Amino acid sequence: MLLLAASFTASATTQDFRFDTVHTQILFCASHLKFSNPCGQLHVKSGFIRFDDNDWSTAKVAVLIDMASVDMGDASWSDKLRSHEFLASERYPTAHFVSSSAAKIDAHNGIVHGVLTLLGVSRAVDLQVTFNRAAVDPYTFKYTAGFSARASFKRSDFGMSRYLQSVGDDVDVRIEVEGLRDRDALDQAGSIDAQPAAANKTEPAEH
């Protein structure tokens, strides 16, 4: 944790947020025989955001994703996604994303570079991020920051290569995040290796 604290040293203007898991969703979509692009949902277990709208270069994010939470809107389909043929959630119960750098593009948008570790494989993934707003929530009275993000990757890059002729290789991801300001938010990253893993690290596995 001392190493993490050093890596997340912030300026006086940056603010720390912990993920509001109730108001955070991860949606992912892939082609089904090119008939449609059905989507599923995953839940965030915990995470940490450091953000200063005036200086995106100081931004940091580390998030832990519950892979067993996958919901396709149908029990049998959800079970199929949890199986060894896709997410192998029994063997790999979590995935995580850790940022390596960030840059502001315009008034509300930026890019966050990082590493996604899924199925024991780490790959570089970029998030196109929109900062929606930060203010006190009038219902909870908590200072809240909201973000929307999009990303895409090939599932085969993570060793998930079953049924590529029927289930698309390209996965599009949409993320909606609310963070609650918390001076102890770094503790939320305690179960995450908040240092970005080396991209292209692989662990032999069959999926």
Side-chain angles (χ1 to χ4, degrees), residues 1-8 195:
M1 286 302 297
L2 290 175
L3 291 174
L4 294 183
S7 70
F8 284 118
Q195 302 291 338

Side-chain angles (χ1 to χ4, degrees), residues 157-184:
D157 285 346
F158 294 87
M160 197 188 309
S161 55
R162 297 284 184 95
Y163 311 114
L164 285 175
Q165 293 185 341
S166 55
V167 178
D169 193 15
D170 295 314
V171 179
D172 293 319
V173 181
R174 175 184 171 185
I175 307 165
E176 296 294 330
V177 173
E178 290 187 21
L180 304 177
R181 187 167 60 186
D182 185 344
R183 69 179 62 188
D184 298 319

Side-chain angles (χ1 to χ4, degrees), residues 6 16-17 29 37-38 56 58 68 72-73 76 90-91 118 128 137 140 155 158 166 168 170 185 191-192:
D16 291 352
F17 301 85
C29 307
N37 296 282
W56 282 49
T58 65
M72 299 299 299
S76 61
E90 185 172 344
R91 182 177 180 185
L118 173 66
Q128 304 294 329
D137 184 320
T140 65
R155 63 186 181 92
F158 294 87
S166 55
D170 295 314
S191 58
I192 311 169

Side-chain angles (χ1 to χ4, degrees), residues 113-179:
H113 306 286
V115 174
L116 173 65
T117 300
L118 173 66
L119 293 167
V121 179
S122 297
R123 293 279 187 264
V125 171
D126 292 339
L127 300 179
Q128 304 294 329
V129 178
T130 298
F131 170 50
N132 297 321
R133 68 186 292 247
V136 175
D137 184 320
Y139 297 99
T140 65
F141 304 106
K142 295 179 180 179
Y143 191 81
T144 302
F147 305 86
S148 300
R150 292 185 180 274
S152 61
F153 58 83
K154 292 187 179 295
R155 63 186 181 92
S156 60
D157 285 346
F158 294 87
M160 197 188 309
S161 55
R162 297 284 184 95
Y163 311 114
L164 285 175
Q165 293 185 341
S166 55
V167 178
D169 193 15
D170 295 314
V171 179
D172 293 319
V173 181
R174 175 184 171 185
I175 307 165
E176 296 294 330
V177 173
E178 290 187 21

